[in-house]
Amino acid sequence: MANAFWCMVEDDRKGTPKKVMAEVIGEATRLAGGDVEAVWLTDTATDDGIRQLGEWGAKKVWLIEGAELAPYRAEVWVPIVAELVAAQSPKAILGPVTSRQREFMARLAARLGVGLAGDCMGLAMDGDKLVGTRPVYAGKLLAKVAWAKTPWLATLRPNVFKPADAQPGQTAAVERPSVQIPAAQLKLVERREEASTGLPELTEAEIVISGGRGMKGPENYVILEELGGIIGAAVGASRAAVDAGWRPHRFQIGQTGRTISPKLYLGFGVSGAIQHLAGMRTSKVIVAVNKDPEAPIFKIADYGIVADLFEVVPQLTQEFKRLLEK
Amino acid sequence: MKLELTDEQQMIQAMAREFAESEIAPIADEIDRDERFPHETVKRMGELGLMGIAVPEAWGGAGSDMVSYVLALEEIAKQCASHAVVMSVNNSLYGWPILTYGTDAQRERFLKPVAGGHALGCFALTEPQAGSDARNQATTAVRDGDHYAVNGRKLFITNGRESSFALLFCQTDKDKAHRGITAMVVEKGTPGFSVGKTEDKLGIRASDTAELIFEDCRVPVAHRIGDEGQGFRIALAALDGGRIGIGAQAVGIAAGALARAIAYARERKTFGVPIGEHQMIGWKLADMATAVDAARLLVWRAAWLKAKGRRCTLEASMAKLFASRTAVQVTNDAIQVHGGYGYIREYQVERYYRDAKITELYEGTTEIQRLVVAREVLGGAE
Amino acid sequence: MKIAVLVKQVPDTATQMKVAGTAKAIETAGITWIVSPYDEYAVEEALRIREKRGQVEVVVMSLGPDRVKEALRSCLAMGADRAVHVNDPALAEADTLMAARALAAVIKQEAPDLVLTGRQAIDDDMGAVPAQVAEILGWPCAYWIMEEAIADDGKTVRIGRQVEGGLEIFDVPMPAVLSAQKGLNEPRYPTLKGIMGAKKKEIKDVKASDLGLAAEAPQLPVVALEALPPRPPGRIIPGDVATAVKELVRSLREEAKAI
């Protein structure tokens, strides 16, 4: 349908859409007034997954299923979706910020010759035009952007948009367009899994714990992981801690790491260097624990405790445990 | 008049700043506490070209100039005065005289490895009885065929233990007093050449300050730099450049302490406002900043003259005199701004305070600089 | 072999950003400009490839006003062989797609075997240019690479790209576009020799017309630039650790409803 808002489905690679899709579909529904369709490229889609998309509000699921679609490769995905866009003329295409959507949406935008607003934190209709709000300079400023023509392409930062409430019984029509799947140029050699911490991914997590220079050494992060395990938080680090070699780069929060907007951020021994603040200041609630009362992070914290983190963390873990066991 | 750094000078300054902030600053407190010579970072400084900045590429150096040298040296000293003195000795006291007075064969053998950062050099002039009175050399070198037999002791020699080469000044003709002083390079491992005690110091504790001992040490005549009797002139000329380097080091120490004082004055609050907004502290910072800038400009001018090949004895001494005094004063004030915290290691300014003092002592004490300046302004230069 | 490295000059990470009077651009007075850190990883990787293989020319390319020459010169000081500077007021308001078209046009002229760049420039943080350049050229692309090894025959490059939960290793046919993630390498400092030698290296100036670019307007114009809304003042929870921790948990639960 020519007025449809498309949502690019990000899945767990096992046939189920990720939870962040509730946010993308929810936002698309608000903007489109209900004319929302999901586009899902995958090697395997489960019925449960399709049902989930419907319950979140997708009226239709464009399902392109094929073994060649995994792992994601831009040269395979982009021509398929571009062809579908040409045939269906959607008004907008939205996706969550993930490793593959980041590249895919950019490439699709170039193929279609349209604008892409990456990493949006706000979308709003201004008359019949869409306006996107996105952080720039790692969140030091906000840019409002508009699109010269449709389709409007945007990626949405996780945890920022209100997720759709699942409506049991609400279903999506499934359409399987016949498409030519282009040959892949990238040949997969192997996939190396990271040793799982059992904690959520940094950019997707609703709660993020961060340890800074005050952690004193890599061995002490275990107390943060323990706390993370109790409250379901990802554990990240400041650049100081990463540069000291205490944590791998992928855990770095800040301008040269991950920019995050969780519902709750807890910083321990993080001083709040400007480039770290840039990466997390859009968090909804910020808690800071530092023994230096002058640490800049207290300026943006909603709650602060001036104390030694090594005293605070174990007690906090116990307290949360007691609360959540109730 | 033009007071502008070239693109290259700005890039060298930026590189030195980034290197010092990322690689030196994190270890500066620890090496000071442990009196540990920072082999790893010194080696990296050599690889970056910081040990032979003004030496032409043909002799292993970077082919830059004296102004770049003081810019880089200030940046290093801002984080760690110990690293700065290692750099200063290599560049001005050891490298420059060999470049200027050495033969090509000597430059190849004694300069190239040092300017290229593969080895360190030292400047062996001071003796137990000959500090400020450098004319009074007790170390002797007696010609014996194509060798000299050297005997004597040198004291307070920066890089003494770590150096592969020592530029040694000694008496080849006692009767001629300072006109009998001769310069020569002695290589580490030469029989009769040993290192005595290492000094335990107030500041620049990570640098190596040692005693050199020569006992019937046979040094080939081919290792002599310049002619017999030319040594004292070589030493004085080297010290002109050396003073500019120490001036730059002093500016760096002062600027580092000033930066910390400013940061502290912005953050620390008393009576509800940052202490920098109290007039007493604000004025102190204003005076500190003005002094640092004045010292820097004096150092730049002396370096610029030296880079042009002009005589700069007066200007180098003025720069060193004023910059070292500024370093002592500004680091003292920086502690005052910090209050009691300034007295504690964690806040670092106490290290700058301890490091500053040496700049009033080595490569010509404050008194000697005044003497030089007085002589120059009275027109009594020899 | 020839490697093109795309770099962007951006404000230093420690810069406090302010909005200029026009409300569409930043206040540039007093900004220290640097090469975007991720692009430095790309430059470093290109230099390492040259050191490993020999006979490799490293050409850095950038788009922007005159000041961008400084960024290019610092890449030359690190060791790149020469630079191309797309310097044209017509591209002053370029969005990612316009930038990608301009850079792709330079790449077409230079015909490198590999294009390396950072995963994103830390100013507009869009991270779209690498993919868009690849799309315009019709080349394969790999994002957020953490490792790279070119095959001996120079026809493919084996890369590891970072994805959620792991690393995917691919063989990518060349020419290709790769975007560098932090962790790929540790960029070198320029040496003094490198800095002194940089002024002798060529920085070629090109205009949009040299690249055969048609005049175009951005597809994603910036309507307004705004400072972040200030956060409401927070509070320091007083008391000993045990009391403060209890009060924090209560506040998070009852006031903030964050847990």
Side-chain angles (χ1 to χ4, degrees), chain B residues 257-280:
Chain B
L258 173 63
R260 280 160 181 78
I262 291 172
Y264 188 78
R266 278 195 187 128
E267 275 178 23
R268 170 80 177 174
K269 285 183 182 157
T270 57
F271 308 107
V273 294
I275 59 168
E277 287 174 27
H278 298 310
Q279 205 175 58
M280 283 173 300

Side-chain angles (χ1 to χ4, degrees), chain A residues 233-266:
Chain A
V235 176
S238 70
R239 184 166 92 182
V242 170
D243 286 352
W246 299 347
R247 302 296 279 172
H249 294 120
R250 67 192 153 99
F251 292 118
Q252 184 183 323
I253 298 164
Q255 190 160 9
T256 50
R258 304 298 177 92
T259 40
I260 54 165
S261 303
K263 294 194 171 117
L264 175 59
Y265 166 99
L266 302 128

Side-chain angles (χ1 to χ4, degrees), chain C residues 61-139:
Chain C
M61 304 173 177
S62 190
L63 172 71
D66 290 343
R67 60 172 157 75
V68 167
K69 292 241 160 31
E70 289 166 36
L72 290 171
R73 205 162 286 125
S74 76
C75 297
L76 296 176
M78 278 176 79
D81 296 298
R82 60 189 175 84
V84 182
H85 180 191
V86 185
N87 186 359
D88 194 325
L91 294 167
E93 312 234 311
D95 60 1
T96 59
L97 199 48
M98 287 169 74
R101 287 204 176 107
L103 292 166
V106 179
I107 292 166
K108 230 177 248 169
Q109 289 184 350
E110 290 283 345
D113 301 279
L114 191 65
V115 176
L116 285 166
T117 187
R119 72 166 222 213
Q120 71 196 59
I122 59 158
D123 50 2
D124 70 4
D125 286 321
M126 195 77 89
V129 167
Q132 300 196 322
V133 165
E135 180 62 31
I136 293 161
L137 295 167
W139 292 0

Side-chain angles (χ1 to χ4, degrees), chain B residues 7-8 11 15 22-23 48 50 61-63, chain C residues 73-74 77 189-193 195-196 199:
Chain B
D7 286 350
E8 284 77 29
M11 282 170 80
M15 179 274 275
S22 330
E23 315 292 330
L48 290 173
L50 292 168
Chain C
R73 205 162 286 125
S74 76
Y189 297 93
T191 65
L192 266 91
K193 270 184 205 167
I195 292 170
M196 298 308 291
K199 67 179 160 195

Side-chain angles (χ1 to χ4, degrees), chain B residues 271-350:
Chain B
F271 308 107
V273 294
I275 59 168
E277 287 174 27
H278 298 310
Q279 205 175 58
M280 283 173 300
I281 301 293
W283 284 20
K284 194 182 277 297
L285 291 171
D287 288 346
M288 291 160 74
T290 305
V292 170
D293 229 21
R296 181 180 290 128
L297 288 172
L298 281 175
V299 169
W300 283 13
R301 180 185 61 172
W304 179 79
L305 286 168
K306 182 98 181 166
K308 295 268 171 220
R310 299 202 206 156
R311 188 165 183 276
C312 60
T313 306
L314 171 67
E315 292 80 2
S317 277
M318 282 177 159
K320 201 240 172 196
L321 173 64
F322 187 76
S324 58
R325 200 167 59 194
T326 298
V328 170
Q329 219 156 6
V330 166
T331 53
N332 185 25
D333 288 343
I335 291 183
Q336 205 65 28
V337 169
H338 280 75
Y341 289 108
Y343 203 65
I344 292 168
R345 273 181 192 264
E346 192 184 335
Y347 286 79
Q348 295 184 319
V349 284
E350 65 87 34

Side-chain angles (χ1 to χ4, degrees), chain B residues 176-205:
Chain B
K176 290 190 182 157
H178 67 276
R179 291 199 173 79
I181 294 173
T182 301
M184 59 188 70
V185 175
V186 187
E187 288 171 297
K188 194 178 206 169
T190 307
F193 172 25
S194 60
V195 180
K197 67 169 188 239
T198 298
E199 305 296 344
D200 182 3
K201 308 183 292 290
L202 171 71
I204 54 166
R205 288 166 58 81

